[in-house]
Amino acid sequence: DHDEKFYILNSATIIQYIKKHSSLASKLGSPESDWKVQEVGDGNLNFVYIVEGTAASFVLKQAVPYVRCVGESWPMTPDRAYFEAITLKKHGALCPQHVPEIYHFDRTMSAIVMQYLEPPHIILRKGFIKGIYYPCLAEHMSEYMARTLFFTSLLAISTTTHRSAVAEFCGNVQLCRLTEQVIFTEPYMESSNNRWTSPQLDEDVRALRDDEILKVEVAGLKAKFCENSQALIHGDLHTGSVMVTLSSTKVIDPEFAFYGPIGFDVGAFLGNLLLAYFSQDGHADEHNDRQEYKKWLLATIEETWNKFSCKFLALWTSNWDLSAGDAFHPDVYRSSTVRIAAQEYFMKGIFADSLGFAAAKMIRRIVGIAHVEDLESIKNPDLRAKCERKALHAAKKLMKARMSVLSINQALELINSELS
Amino acid sequence: DHDEKFYILNSATIIQYIKKHSSLASKLGSPESDWKVQEVGDGNLNFVYIVEGTAASFVLKQAVPYVRCVGESWPMTPDRAYFEAITLKKHGALCPQHVPEIYHFDRTMSAIVMQYLEPPHIILRKGFIKGIYYPCLAEHMSEYMARTLFFTSLLAISTTTHRSAVAEFCGNVQLCRLTEQVIFTEPYMESSNNRWTSPQLDEDVRALRDDEILKVEVAGLKAKFCENSQALIHGDLHTGSVMVTLSSTKVIDPEFAFYGPIGFDVGAFLGNLLLAYFSQDGHADEHNDRQEYKKWLLATIEETWNKFSCKFLALWTSNWDLSAGDAFHPDVYRSSTVRIAAQEYFMKGIFADSLGFAAAKMIRRIVGIAHVEDLESIKNPDLRAKCERKALHAAKKLMKARMSVLSINQALELINSELS
Ligand SMILES: Nc1ncnc2c1ncn2[C@@H]1O[C@H](COP(=O)(O)OP(=O)(O)O)[C@@H](O)[C@H]1O
Ligand SMILES: Nc1ncnc2c1ncn2[C@@H]1O[C@H](COP(=O)(O)OP(=O)(O)O)[C@@H](O)[C@H]1O
Ligand SMILES: [Mg+2]
Ligand SMILES: [Mg+2]
Ligand SMILES: [Mg+2]
Ligand SMILES: [Mg+2]
Ligand SMILES: [Mg+2]
């Protein structure tokens, strides 16, 4: 590429960078003096610039050699941009309608240039805080998850392709380790990284750390995360990684991607829907008690799982005889009864994993290093703690019941029983 | 190295090869004219030469670019020797008393020079056929499995080390695929590779292929094999990969090694002990009814599992606070009750996996491509079929009950109920 060495871009040097890459420059359109650059990164790790030209706009995202929200004291390889770029390309090829288009990737600079998701696109989490209904959300997210996860699993690829891709994504180990630390470890111990609404939740946090049944479950989930290379997962599929309008849904930011358990993506999304749900009482006011919205969120959780499960199974069923995937040889699994039994067994495992990972994601957002705006934006600490406590207890229940719960409905009933 | 290009060695060219490698030549001792070379490979894949000098002897094993017992029509990368060599070194460092020493490895030539396991060392399987008691076998094999599997798992290593090792062993995909094909796939379908004692077992084979509950379990085990990188496993730990005397036990031939499920190694060994057990009636004669020997084999299975479990747990317990492994952070798992609960949960999983893989290994040796001498050496086909049928039915029971069986004793009771 044009750049020989990595350097951290800023709004001024970005212009120079684009001029050196003629395809980007011509995409923006002349005159160059009219280009506008604006840093909009609100994430934890990277810098994101919107670059507006006369003919077009795009987003440039650059990873820096540290965790942005902490600073240089927490180093982190900028090569995470590579894994983000190749995953955007792979997932984009499998589900173009829900992944921003990539225009340019520069590994030396850890810079990705991609489609600008223009207003009215907003981050889904912000839409939930505002109480906006997204009628296509479950349909779109179930489509994205079903397609990206099915087609990168051994249901669709050979073990040759799989082991070679697994090996490549082992290179994203630093990001995996970050997840291990902040999701599966620190929430369950004393750590200066942790924080919670204190003193309101002090007792709950103590109980969490003393909950031995829960911690055994968490160990099982952590082992799955570290050892189970089921599919190319997004790896950070919370509601801050989804941008939406009423009719469009785009998944961004897969820098944590690797071959991991399918339930980690599904659970991340469902767990964040639950966090949105539990935060609603904190956003109720005289104009809107959020009761209808809460029902819609629960219905969306149910619809997302059920549609994901149906779409995933439909892809599987229509691919049985193509022999593309090595998991199920068509000559062994020819009868429809054995196929259905195998599919049920498989989906039961994905479901239990999804509930467990959803719970782990909820817990860490209440007692760990990184919180969510859904709850953080509730200014009254007593009210916030009340929402957080409900979410925490629901998550604990979910994690412990994950192997015995039989349907998403039953899981939501369990959570509702928690509310009463 | 000295060799620029791979070529297939033979008894004559081996002498030239050794002369070019002075450390090997000086190990054998002069005069070179007294060196003796003998090909002894009885395995399926490779060539094994015993080289005797005046001062010392060693074994030279060469992998060729195909499956030896089939021929050039079944190509197979000779780079399997690389994975065998690095595994011998790793496992040898962890458990030197049960792994032959490596003297030399030449990746270009796919040649490993290692310690000659002199007579009275014989292949364990052959000892079982003769009815020889090995009083240290369970002790030694449990030691080998506990140490090699514990110290390559996330109980002992960081996720950084683990993902980098996983990535490297993804390169051994061709050997993994061979296992997938001959163990988890072909036995359950029509394939020209399959054979069985016919017509005696025709009906049993038909029933096996129609056993839908069994095939769903097999799919679960295959997924674990393909996706679960728990530890650096030997990958082919049958009783033909173990050489023994009454007091010595050495594990050879880890060319199928990769990061896979711990239960695949434990199950391979236990399953082959069960095959030895079920074959004994076919070796009974007027001098020895083999009844005592069968009891010893069952006792050895029990002792192997129990000692493996105890040793593995003891290693774990003594390593809790070293923080070398990333699976369990000492600050999260500080109380002894949570530690014990976590260990029980973990060992329960390993046990269920081991029973399942043991059963899969038994089944494939009766109806698949590669059979075992324990059964093949029973000349009377009716008698052989009787032994094989019992083994097959026991394996099917074991596979289906693997999640609910609580102890090795209970597993053996299940099998004994099969016998009566
Ligand atoms: N393609 C895009 N179009 C519009 N806005 C984007 C785009 N990508 C990122 N953003 C904005 O930048 C923010 C941070 O991006 P993200 O990829 O999540 O970075 P990080 O990895 O630091 O979390 C997003 O929350 C969103 O507001
Ligand atoms: N180190 C050794 N010492 C003595 N004999 C050995 C040694 N290694 C292998 N052999 C003999 O060679 C045979 C084949 O070796 P093995 O490594 O199992 O090859 P393969 O991979 O072809 O199965 C063994 O069954 C054993 O008889
Ligand atoms: Mg982000
Ligand atoms: Mg990110
Ligand atoms: Mg062998
Ligand atoms: Mg071999
Ligand atoms: Mg540790």
Side-chain angles (χ1 to χ4, degrees):
Chain A
D1 215 305
H2 299 68
D3 296 288
E4 284 152 22
K5 229 173 133 279
F6 174 89
Y7 60 93
I8 296 179
L9 291 164
N10 58 41
S11 298
T13 57
I14 273 187
I15 301 286
Q16 307 312 314
Y17 180 84
I18 292 166
K19 286 182 185 168
K20 280 198 293 176
H21 295 83
S22 55
S23 68
L24 296 178
S26 63
K27 190 172 188 75
L28 289 179
S30 50
E32 294 163 1
S33 54
D34 280 3
W35 296 351
K36 287 197 196 78
V37 179
Q38 192 195 348
E39 211 278 318
V40 295
D42 61 350
N44 293 321
L45 266 64
N46 306 290
F47 290 86
V48 177
Y49 301 88
I50 297 170
V51 185
E52 288 183 87
T54 52
S57 303
F58 52 64
V59 155
L60 188 150
K61 177 174 179 178
Q62 186 182 37
V64 292
Y66 50 83
V67 174
R68 177 188 180 167
C69 66
V70 176
E72 294 182 41
S73 63
W74 193 333
M76 184 65 53
T77 174
D79 209 32
R80 58 189 186 261
Y82 171 71
F83 296 102
E84 174 163 354
I86 62 176
T87 304
L88 283 169
K89 282 178 194 166
K90 181 78 199 169
H91 285 180
L94 292 170
C95 194
Q97 64 276 41
H98 300 305
V99 179
E101 198 182 332
I102 294 274
Y103 303 135
H104 169 85
F105 174 62
D106 181 340
R107 189 162 183 179
T108 305
M109 288 294 282
S110 295
I112 301 171
V113 178
M114 70 183 114
Q115 182 186 354
Y116 172 40
L117 303 169
E118 294 178 319
H121 277 101
I122 60 168
I123 287 291
L124 175 57
R125 194 186 297 290
K126 295 184 188 287
F128 285 164
I129 294 167
K130 291 193 179 136
I132 302 171
Y133 294 85
Y134 293 100
C136 311
L137 182 66
E139 172 67 23
H140 289 173
M141 285 303 294
S142 60
E143 180 79 5
Y144 166 80
M145 295 192 295
R147 292 190 63 83
T148 58
L149 298 170
F150 177 83
F151 284 111
T152 59
S153 80
L154 285 172
L155 300 173
I157 66 175
S158 73
T159 54
T160 307
T161 304
H162 175 256
R163 285 214 191 269
S164 126
V166 168
E168 168 144 69
F169 277 92
C170 279
N172 206 15
V173 59
Q174 281 195 29
L175 284 277
C176 289
R177 284 175 67 77
L178 187 56
T179 299
E180 293 156 25
Q181 176 184 346
V182 304
I183 298 183
F184 296 111
T185 307
E186 284 179 356
Y188 306 95
M189 61 186 252
E190 272 180 51
S191 163
S192 57
N193 282 333
N194 290 334
R195 58 186 185 84
W196 59 88
T197 303
S198 182
Q200 289 85 346
L201 294 186
D202 289 1
E203 184 55 31
D204 303 87
V205 170
R206 204 198 49 70
L208 182 78
R209 292 190 191 153
D210 285 346
D211 192 330
E212 304 198 335
I213 293 167
L214 191 84
K215 292 199 292 186
V216 171
E217 288 296 328
V218 170
L221 291 167
K222 184 177 177 182
K224 274 217 165 125
F225 180 85
C226 293
E227 297 164 352
N228 187 11
S229 58
Q230 212 171 19
L232 176 57
I233 67 173
H234 177 286
D236 196 24
L237 196 52
H238 56 82
T239 47
S241 295
V242 182
M243 295 191 72
V244 288
T245 68
L246 293 185
S247 59
S248 163
T249 307
K250 302 279 186 184
V251 176
I252 60 170
D253 195 15
E255 67 188 320
F256 284 82
F258 74 111
Y259 276 77
I262 288 173
F264 191 76
D265 270 6
V266 179
F269 189 66
L270 297 182
N272 276 271
L273 288 177
L274 284 170
L275 287 173
Y277 170 78
F278 283 107
S279 71
Q280 290 303 317
D281 288 345
H283 301 303
D285 58 26
E286 61 272 30
H287 308 298
N288 186 344
D289 67 3
R290 299 283 180 128
Q291 292 309 306
E292 280 308 309
Y293 197 63
K294 284 170 73 175
K295 281 188 195 147
W296 176 78
L297 281 168
L298 288 182
T300 298
I301 292 170
E302 191 184 325
E303 188 186 349
T304 301
W305 169 262
N306 287 334
K307 285 199 161 153
F308 165 74
S309 170
C310 284
K311 284 166 188 274
F312 192 96
L313 286 170
L315 289 172
W316 190 350
T317 299
S318 65
N319 277 272
W320 266 116
D321 284 315
L322 302 182
S323 291
D326 271 334
F328 290 84
H329 195 292
D331 287 350
V332 178
Y333 299 91
R334 189 156 296 294
S335 96
S336 64
T337 52
V338 77
R339 289 180 175 202
I340 290 164
Q343 289 181 325
E344 273 173 9
Y345 180 101
F346 186 97
M347 291 312 291
K348 202 167 137 59
I350 303 295
F351 184 61
D353 289 355
S354 299
L355 296 184
F357 288 122
K361 293 278 203 171
M362 292 169 72
I363 292 168
R364 76 94 161 203
R365 293 297 195 176
I366 297 164
V367 309
I369 184 173
H371 289 221
V372 288
E373 197 180 332
D374 315 60
L375 291 161
E376 292 300 288
S377 59
I378 303 170
K379 286 293 157 254
N380 178 332
D382 288 326
L383 181 55
R384 183 170 70 247
K386 218 174 141 191
C387 295
E388 289 173 327
R389 182 175 296 116
K390 282 180 183 170
L392 194 59
H393 289 195
K396 285 168 68 171
K397 261 200 177 172
L398 214 49
M399 171 111 47
K400 292 177 188 172
R402 72 196 178 90
M403 305 296 256
S404 50
V405 168
L406 295 172
S407 69
I408 187 71
N409 256 320
Q410 206 185 315
L412 294 179
E413 270 166 31
L414 194 84
I415 282 166
N416 277 318
S417 76
E418 191 60 37
L419 286 177
S420 58
Chain B
D1 215 304
H2 300 67
D3 296 286
E4 284 151 23
K5 227 171 135 278
F6 173 88
Y7 59 94
I8 295 178
L9 292 163
N10 59 40
S11 300
T13 55
I14 273 187
I15 301 286
Q16 307 310 315
Y17 179 84
I18 293 166
K19 285 181 186 168
K20 280 196 293 176
H21 294 83
S22 54
S23 67
L24 296 178
S26 63
K27 189 170 189 78
L28 288 179
S30 53
E32 295 162 0
S33 55
D34 280 2
W35 295 352
K36 285 195 197 80
V37 179
Q38 194 195 345
E39 211 278 317
V40 295
D42 61 350
N44 292 321
L45 265 65
N46 306 290
F47 290 87
V48 177
Y49 301 89
I50 296 170
V51 186
E52 287 184 88
T54 54
S57 302
F58 53 63
V59 155
L60 188 152
K61 177 173 180 179
Q62 188 184 36
V64 292
Y66 49 84
V67 174
R68 177 189 181 167
C69 67
V70 175
E72 295 180 41
S73 64
W74 192 333
M76 183 66 53
T77 174
D79 209 32
R80 59 190 185 258
Y82 170 70
F83 296 102
E84 175 163 355
I86 63 176
T87 305
L88 283 168
K89 282 178 195 167
K90 181 78 200 170
H91 285 180
L94 293 170
C95 194
Q97 63 276 38
H98 301 305
V99 178
E101 199 183 329
I102 295 271
Y103 303 135
H104 169 87
F105 174 61
D106 182 339
R107 190 163 185 178
T108 306
M109 288 294 281
S110 294
I112 301 170
V113 178
M114 72 182 110
Q115 183 185 355
Y116 172 40
L117 303 169
E118 294 179 321
H121 278 101
I122 60 170
I123 287 290
L124 175 58
R125 193 187 297 293
K126 294 185 189 285
F128 286 163
I129 295 167
K130 290 192 178 136
I132 302 172
Y133 293 86
Y134 292 100
C136 311
L137 183 64
E139 172 66 25
H140 289 173
M141 286 302 294
S142 59
E143 182 78 7
Y144 166 80
M145 294 192 295
R147 291 190 64 83
T148 58
L149 298 170
F150 177 82
F151 284 110
T152 59
S153 79
L154 285 173
L155 300 174
I157 66 176
S158 72
T159 54
T160 308
T161 304
H162 176 256
R163 287 217 190 265
S164 126
V166 168
E168 167 143 72
F169 277 92
C170 280
N172 206 16
V173 58
Q174 281 195 29
L175 282 280
C176 290
R177 285 176 66 77
L178 187 56
T179 298
E180 293 155 24
Q181 175 182 348
V182 303
I183 297 183
F184 296 111
T185 309
E186 284 179 358
Y188 306 95
M189 62 184 252
E190 272 180 52
S191 162
S192 57
N193 282 334
N194 290 335
R195 60 188 184 83
W196 58 87
T197 303
S198 181
Q200 287 86 344
L201 294 187
D202 288 1
E203 184 54 32
D204 303 87
V205 169
R206 203 197 50 68
L208 182 80
R209 293 188 191 154
D210 286 347
D211 191 331
E212 304 196 334
I213 294 167
L214 192 81
K215 293 199 291 186
V216 170
E217 288 296 329
V218 171
L221 291 166
K222 185 178 178 184
K224 275 220 161 122
F225 180 85
C226 294
E227 297 164 352
N228 186 11
S229 58
Q230 212 170 19
L232 176 57
I233 67 174
H234 178 285
D236 197 24
L237 196 52
H238 57 81
T239 48
S241 295
V242 182
M243 295 191 73
V244 287
T245 69
L246 293 186
S247 60
S248 164
T249 307
K250 302 279 186 183
V251 177
I252 61 170
D253 196 15
E255 67 189 319
F256 285 82
F258 72 111
Y259 277 76
I262 287 173
F264 191 76
D265 269 7
V266 179
F269 189 66
L270 297 181
N272 275 270
L273 287 177
L274 284 170
L275 288 172
Y277 170 79
F278 283 107
S279 70
Q280 291 301 319
D281 288 345
H283 302 303
D285 58 27
E286 60 274 30
H287 306 298
N288 186 345
D289 67 3
R290 300 280 179 129
Q291 291 310 305
E292 280 308 309
Y293 196 64
K294 283 170 72 176
K295 282 188 195 146
W296 177 79
L297 282 167
L298 289 182
T300 298
I301 292 170
E302 192 183 323
E303 189 186 346
T304 301
W305 169 262
N306 287 334
K307 284 197 161 154
F308 164 74
S309 169
C310 285
K311 285 165 189 275
F312 192 96
L313 286 171
L315 288 172
W316 189 351
T317 299
S318 64
N319 278 273
W320 266 116
D321 284 314
L322 303 182
S323 291
D326 272 334
F328 290 84
H329 195 291
D331 288 349
V332 179
Y333 300 91
R334 188 156 296 293
S335 96
S336 63
T337 52
V338 76
R339 288 180 176 203
I340 289 165
Q343 289 182 325
E344 273 172 11
Y345 180 101
F346 187 96
M347 291 312 291
K348 203 166 138 59
I350 302 295
F351 185 62
D353 288 356
S354 299
L355 296 183
F357 288 123
K361 292 279 201 169
M362 292 169 73
I363 292 168
R364 76 97 161 203
R365 292 297 195 177
I366 296 165
V367 310
I369 184 174
H371 288 223
V372 287
E373 198 180 332
D374 316 57
L375 291 162
E376 292 299 286
S377 59
I378 303 169
K379 285 294 157 253
N380 177 330
D382 288 327
L383 182 54
R384 184 172 69 248
K386 220 175 137 189
C387 295
E388 289 172 329
R389 182 175 295 115
K390 283 180 182 169
L392 194 60
H393 289 194
K396 286 167 68 171
K397 261 200 176 172
L398 214 49
M399 171 110 48
K400 291 175 190 175
R402 73 197 178 90
M403 305 296 256
S404 50
V405 168
L406 294 172
S407 69
I408 188 70
N409 256 322
Q410 205 184 317
L412 294 178
E413 268 166 32
L414 193 84
I415 282 167
N416 277 318
S417 76
E418 191 58 36
L419 286 174
S420 59

